[in-house]
Amino acid sequence: MAEKFISWNVNGVRAVMKKNFMETFEQLDADIFCLQETKCQAGQVELELPGYHQYWNYAERKGYSGTALFTKKEPLRVTCGMGIPEHDSEGRVITAEFPDYYFLTVYVPNSQGELKRLPYRMAWEDAWLDYISGLNKKKPVIYCGDLNVAHEEIDIRHPESNHRNAGFTDEEREKFTRLLNAGYIDTFRYLHPDARDEYSWWSYRFRAREHNAGWRIDYFVISESLKDQIDGASIHQEIMGSDHCPVELDIF
């Protein structure tokens, strides 16, 4: 049976709720719908989503980070974080176990200006690969979210001028290459190897979205064992409300 998954960095769920979020949510009608950068605490948001089970992971710091996962099918088990205290205070990971796969939403740390958080980001990347590889030994993995990296030059409008900026450093790109080489697939690029101008994030500065001067940093990544089940992968650039747009994966 075909399943439809959506991932969206909403850059504040309370803000996006004032910008037609519910209409978008209902229109996309996903089996699993994931959010990143929810920027809220428990009790600050009441989302009425009939037919969905809701799971939230809040950052300890107020108004920062955070993830959510909404699913029509109830998971066997849901956990928050990776089980590593140094990485689990910012609400960045939710893992839902289903009969046939693990489904995760993740908001990967940004290396920030002057790359001041790049060393932490490198440690996070190693922990993340270890974590999903442990899951993958039991059953296939599907994960989605804002990975804060444009993997190849085709994934960013201005590669030359962004070369040492957070999200397009050699170090970040190499970590993602290593992950893919460990047995995972970037679903959009797998189906659309030569697609250009397909971005999921635009700076609020310089009218970047108007000029489509963007980055593709939101992904669905799956275990190689699932590659024959990919039915579609797309980027909903037409959907507004955040500096990111939703991305989609369809499997059967």
Side-chain angles (χ1 to χ4, degrees):
M1 190 172 111
E3 291 183 282
K4 177 179 183 177
F5 308 132
I6 293 287
S7 176
W8 193 8
N9 178 323
V10 289
N11 194 11
V13 67
R14 287 170 291 177
V16 82
M17 283 171 67
K18 299 171 185 173
K19 302 174 184 173
N20 298 322
F21 173 77
M22 285 310 305
E23 291 88 335
T24 298
F25 183 87
E26 291 166 5
Q27 168 200 333
L28 290 172
D29 189 27
D31 294 285
I32 301 177
F33 198 116
C34 294
L35 307 182
Q36 302 86 41
E37 212 172 352
T38 52
K39 295 184 176 179
C40 67
Q41 304 299 123
Q44 287 187 319
V45 171
E46 288 294 328
L47 271 181
E48 293 291 327
L49 305 176
Y52 286 85
H53 304 274
Q54 300 189 32
Y55 305 94
W56 296 76
N57 190 5
Y58 308 103
E60 292 176 8
R61 177 175 151 197
K62 290 184 178 177
Y64 180 72
S65 188
T67 47
L69 186 153
F70 313 133
T71 173
K72 290 180 179 178
K73 186 168 59 176
E74 186 173 8
L76 302 174
R77 195 167 80 106
V78 175
T79 56
C80 292
M82 294 189 280
I84 305 170
E86 67 181 286
H87 295 314
D88 288 349
S89 66
E90 296 181 351
R92 294 184 177 276
V93 179
I94 301 174
T95 304
E97 180 183 356
F98 293 96
D100 298 324
Y101 50 76
Y102 289 98
F103 193 103
L104 302 88
T105 183
V106 58
Y107 177 37
V108 173
N110 189 303
S111 296
Q112 298 185 348
E114 299 178 3
L115 304 179
K116 62 186 178 191
R117 222 180 180 200
L118 183 61
Y120 175 71
R121 167 69 177 266
M122 295 295 97
W124 162 280
E125 293 283 359
D126 293 341
W128 176 252
L129 180 55
D130 286 347
Y131 178 64
I132 62 169
S133 295
L135 297 177
N136 195 39
K137 289 175 182 172
K138 302 172 196 171
K139 60 180 76 169
V141 167
I142 301 170
Y143 78 85
C144 65
D146 177 357
L147 307 192
N148 262 314
V149 63
H151 185 218
E152 304 288 0
E153 290 192 353
I154 195 175
D155 296 313
I156 185 170
R157 170 57 66 87
H158 297 297
E160 305 84 3
S161 57
N162 283 295
H163 177 223
R164 286 299 296 161
N165 287 345
F168 199 60
T169 63
D170 294 339
E171 294 91 336
E172 292 162 315
R173 296 167 65 196
E174 286 164 5
K175 287 292 188 186
F176 193 47
T177 297
R178 184 186 68 148
L179 183 145
L180 296 177
N181 289 341
Y184 302 92
I185 290 172
D186 167 0
T187 55
F188 180 82
R189 194 52 73 199
Y190 179 76
L191 283 192
H192 311 285
D194 303 314
R196 294 185 173 275
D197 303 323
E198 291 280 1
Y199 307 124
S200 65
W201 174 78
W202 303 262
S203 170
Y204 279 133
R205 298 183 296 167
F206 313 121
R207 295 159 67 193
R209 191 157 188 175
E210 184 181 329
H211 300 297
N212 198 26
W215 303 44
R216 189 176 73 93
I217 59 175
D218 300 88
Y219 296 78
F220 273 93
V221 176
I222 64 171
S223 301
E224 279 186 351
S225 59
L226 293 174
K227 68 181 180 183
D228 292 336
Q229 292 174 242
I230 301 172
D231 192 36
S234 54
I235 301 175
H236 288 280
Q237 295 190 8
E238 76 284 0
I239 293 177
M240 312 300 275
S242 168
D243 52 348
H244 294 250
C245 72
V247 295
E248 177 176 339
L249 172 67
D250 305 284
I251 66 168
F252 54 77

